[in-house]
Amino acid sequence: MTIPFFDGHNDTLLRLLEHANPDKVALFVEGTQDGHVDLPRAQAAGMVGGFYAMFPPPLKGNLASVATNPMSNGELPPELSTADATPSTMGMAAILLRLEQAGALTICRSAADIRNAIAIEKHTAIFHIEGAEAIDTNFHAFDVLYAAGLRSIGITWSRANAFGTGVPFRHNADPDIGPGLSDAGKELVRLCDKHGVMVDLSHLNAAGFRDVAAISTKPLVATHSNVHAISPGTRNLVDWQLAAIRDSGGVVGLNYATGFLREDGKFDADTPIELMVRHVDALIEALGEDGVALGSDFDGARIPNAIGDVRGTQNLLQALLDKGYGETLVKKIALDNWLKLIERTIG
């Protein structure tokens, strides 16, 4: 049995942007031998769609270096200026738009759009920005990106910008590091609420999390984060954050990155799938059955060998069934919880 699923986070657009092949549409539509996600593998895997992130990478290094060694020194990477972030963000946005023009997927602006696309077996994408460096503090770029389909924003990656401060990649550390949102960051949250753009709390520090929780009237969401009590790194959620997400009716997407799964924080692909199930168990206990979903971090992280690529998500879903999770609950984790959350945050 193949269970349809919707993924809370991937970095496939950056992998396509950085690929040497200039035909980005063909890379996605025809498939590649590298990376985690392309259209043939997604269709074979039962992946009906996901949040397609646009992450402006550091000026030094690339996606591969971030994915395999993000905790190299435990400090925040240098800030990225709007001028430096805009070319890569626009490049990834252009790839997503070209994929839609080629008929490879549909950029969805609501849960109804996703359901309609699934009904005709069309792959779906939520236009997501991970790190808002390409948005100016006058929000002119926000208006343009929104018109292009933007419906989800991670205010920060793991660095500071004009809007807030992300967490550095540290193990055996708490995410309560650094200041909260700037005035511009608080206005960005209000603007997102007004326009139906989901705010993603993954990568944001604790003070910024508190600010979003105080300002936003929408459910709180962390698209690709895990449980700090199991894997005590800054990228994972501590008890009070999980409680705040639960109380808002929000959702957490399970991150497949091995360093955010393991107790030792190592990015080791020899990580058992049972550890992923342990995080799901803890998320269910903290959030309830409606608060847990998937947020793989495909194409942006070192994932367990037992998963391998997008097709391995079915191994995780089968492991949940084998653990005794009912089919109805597994389908909620795989798809339904994201759809209901999108209805309440985006529309």
Side-chain angles (χ1 to χ4, degrees):
M1 175 179 65
T2 298
I3 297 175
F5 71 93
F6 193 87
D7 185 35
H9 188 87
N10 70 61
D11 286 298
T12 300
L13 293 172
L14 181 56
R15 181 175 64 82
L16 294 174
L17 182 71
E18 293 184 342
H19 201 287
N21 187 332
D23 191 343
K24 312 304 182 183
V25 171
L27 281 171
F28 185 76
V29 172
E30 298 172 10
T32 64
Q33 299 301 311
D34 59 352
H36 296 147
V37 178
D38 52 42
L39 189 58
R41 284 183 285 176
Q43 290 172 331
M47 179 185 173
V48 298
F51 289 78
Y52 277 76
M54 293 158 213
F55 159 55
L59 292 179
K60 294 182 179 181
N62 56 20
L63 177 60
S65 63
V66 171
T68 58
N69 194 25
M71 295 189 184
S72 57
N73 59 17
E75 301 300 322
L76 283 177
E79 293 186 29
L80 193 66
S81 70
T82 298
D84 287 329
T86 297
S88 61
T89 302
M90 293 301 113
M92 287 178 276
I95 292 171
L96 188 63
L97 291 168
R98 290 169 185 166
L99 289 172
E100 182 175 55
Q101 292 162 3
L105 52 75
T106 297
I107 299 173
C108 294
R109 294 163 171 82
S110 68
D113 285 352
I114 297 172
R115 288 192 172 95
N116 291 337
I118 291 172
I120 61 172
E121 299 184 350
K122 176 73 74 173
H123 192 71
T124 67
I126 295 288
F127 187 133
H128 172 77
I129 286 179
E130 181 180 28
E133 284 86 353
I135 296 176
D136 58 286
T137 54
N138 291 316
F139 304 110
H140 298 149
F142 177 94
D143 292 340
V144 173
L145 291 165
Y146 180 82
L150 174 68
R151 292 299 183 273
S152 178
I153 291 178
I155 295 173
T156 68
W157 181 65
S158 287
R159 61 189 167 212
N161 60 28
F163 304 105
T165 302
V167 290
F169 292 107
R170 294 180 189 165
H171 198 62
N172 290 321
D174 189 280
D176 200 356
I177 300 169
L181 299 183
S182 66
D183 288 344
K186 294 173 183 177
E187 184 58 29
L188 178 58
V189 175
R190 296 186 189 100
L191 198 63
C192 287
D193 270 17
K194 177 181 177 180
H195 287 276
V197 174
M198 192 186 85
V199 176
D200 180 12
L201 295 164
S202 292
H203 287 280
L204 190 61
N205 68 1
F209 184 110
R210 291 187 182 98
D211 285 338
V212 174
I215 295 166
S216 179
T217 61
K218 302 293 181 71
L220 301 176
V221 186
T223 61
H224 57 302
S225 295
N226 294 333
V227 179
H228 189 276
I230 298 174
S231 180
T234 51
R235 273 286 284 107
N236 287 337
L237 299 163
V238 297
D239 289 348
W240 69 261
Q241 291 176 308
L242 291 168
I245 293 170
R246 179 198 64 220
D247 292 346
S248 75
V251 165
V252 174
L254 176 76
N255 192 325
Y256 299 6
T258 55
F260 308 147
L261 292 167
R262 297 173 62 95
E263 294 181 26
D264 60 12
K266 292 182 179 179
F267 282 82
D268 182 352
D270 188 22
T271 295
I273 206 164
E274 289 76 17
L275 189 53
M276 303 175 76
V277 174
R278 184 180 169 197
H279 278 271
V280 174
D281 288 343
L283 288 170
I284 291 283
E285 182 177 354
L287 303 170
E289 294 186 357
D290 296 331
V292 185
L294 304 177
S296 69
D297 216 349
F298 281 138
D299 284 321
R302 180 170 287 168
I303 64 174
N305 287 330
I307 299 294
D309 63 19
V310 63
R311 293 168 291 188
T313 291
Q314 294 299 325
N315 298 338
L316 170 60
L317 299 177
Q318 185 59 53
L320 295 175
L321 291 170
D322 293 344
K323 179 74 183 295
Y325 282 53
E327 185 176 332
T328 298
L329 176 54
V330 173
K331 287 180 176 179
K332 289 174 74 171
I333 294 168
L335 175 60
D336 296 342
N337 286 345
W338 273 135
L339 290 178
K340 292 177 182 177
L341 184 282
I342 289 166
E343 280 182 333
R344 290 180 289 125
T345 54
I346 297 173

